[in-house]
Amino acid sequence: GIGGLAAAGMLERAGWQVLVRTRQHTAADADGGLFDDALGLWSPALSSLRAWFGAAPLAALQQEGCYVRAVDGYHDSRGRRLVGPSAPLGDGSGNRPSLLFVRRSLLLATLRGACGPRVSFCPDVPGSPGGWLAAAADGREGDDEPAFDLLIGADGVDSAVRTALLPHAGVPVDWGFTVYRGLAGGPGSASAESLLPDGRSYQAWGTRAHRFAAVPA
């Protein structure tokens, strides 16, 4: 995922040899597979990308992504504005806060492409953390496994690393919300510019915690 790839690339640039254990098995999976959506990167994330990986990866994201010019306030379920738009946002070139939306698949591919020869990838069997993790939980080396000086669990909300190493730690609580994310084209020949003019995002709040948001991508 994004956290694991970013950590791997940063550790490599700090002089570490990195092994990435992943449940992704193909290049298509690593690039987002059948699922894709848009993710927002605020100024601190953009600065970190530039500082750790250089200007080229960031330039590729900027070329394919879309800067949000302003958050177009908040609306009720009928589209009536509740709160006015935010102050104009920047485009990554000045001191104003900037928000760049990019496809998840593009961000994953960019981060993986930024990993050099000191980062290697090894797939795990889906649904199984593998003997290496059980060995790490016991404080020993696994069979045919190298010794590790640092283990980073960047494997999401249902983290197998957390479960194995911190079995008594708090577990995520299901609050009953369902979130649908994805990419959608405009009806007919409509473009993002016609639906979200001036690069603005849109948010609407309804009853029972229903919420809708759209951003240009």
Side-chain angles (χ1 to χ4, degrees):
I2 295 168
L5 289 173
M10 292 176 180
L11 286 170
E12 181 188 30
R13 282 158 175 76
W16 290 70
Q17 183 82 31
V18 184
L19 174 64
V20 179
R21 293 279 188 176
T22 176
R23 283 172 287 188
Q24 311 287 14
H25 287 272
T26 68
D29 289 336
D31 290 344
L34 297 178
F35 172 77
D36 208 357
D37 62 353
L39 302 176
L41 303 176
W42 282 95
S43 299
L46 299 174
S47 297
S48 295
L49 278 170
R50 183 184 293 107
W52 281 98
F53 301 111
L58 179 56
L61 294 176
Q62 290 174 321
Q63 182 177 357
E64 297 292 334
C66 181
Y67 278 102
V68 173
R69 302 304 181 186
V71 177
D72 193 22
Y74 295 89
H75 306 74
D76 66 12
S77 58
R78 297 182 180 179
R80 296 173 298 188
R81 179 174 282 125
L82 301 174
V83 180
S86 68
L89 298 174
D91 59 0
S93 60
N95 295 324
R96 285 187 299 177
S98 301
L99 175 58
L100 175 68
F101 271 90
V102 298
R103 290 181 293 109
R104 178 189 299 268
S105 58
L106 176 62
L107 181 57
L108 286 169
T110 299
L111 290 174
R112 183 151 188 169
C115 292
R118 292 175 60 85
V119 177
S120 54
F121 295 85
C122 180
D124 269 345
V125 177
S128 172
W132 67 274
L133 188 50
D138 294 337
R140 57 183 172 80
E141 296 182 25
D143 297 336
D144 301 320
E145 292 286 347
F148 295 101
D149 296 305
L150 176 67
L151 174 63
I152 296 178
D155 52 341
V157 63
D158 296 317
S159 171
V161 173
R162 181 185 63 243
T163 300
L165 300 184
L166 302 170
H168 303 297
V171 296
V173 176
D174 183 0
W175 287 94
F177 290 95
T178 301
V179 180
Y180 298 93
R181 301 173 62 106
L183 296 174
S189 60
S191 64
E193 177 62 26
S194 64
L195 297 172
L196 300 167
D198 301 322
R200 292 179 179 271
S201 66
Y202 178 89
Q203 293 196 45
W205 295 71
T207 58
R208 296 184 180 179
H210 291 170
R211 179 182 177 185
F212 172 80
V215 296

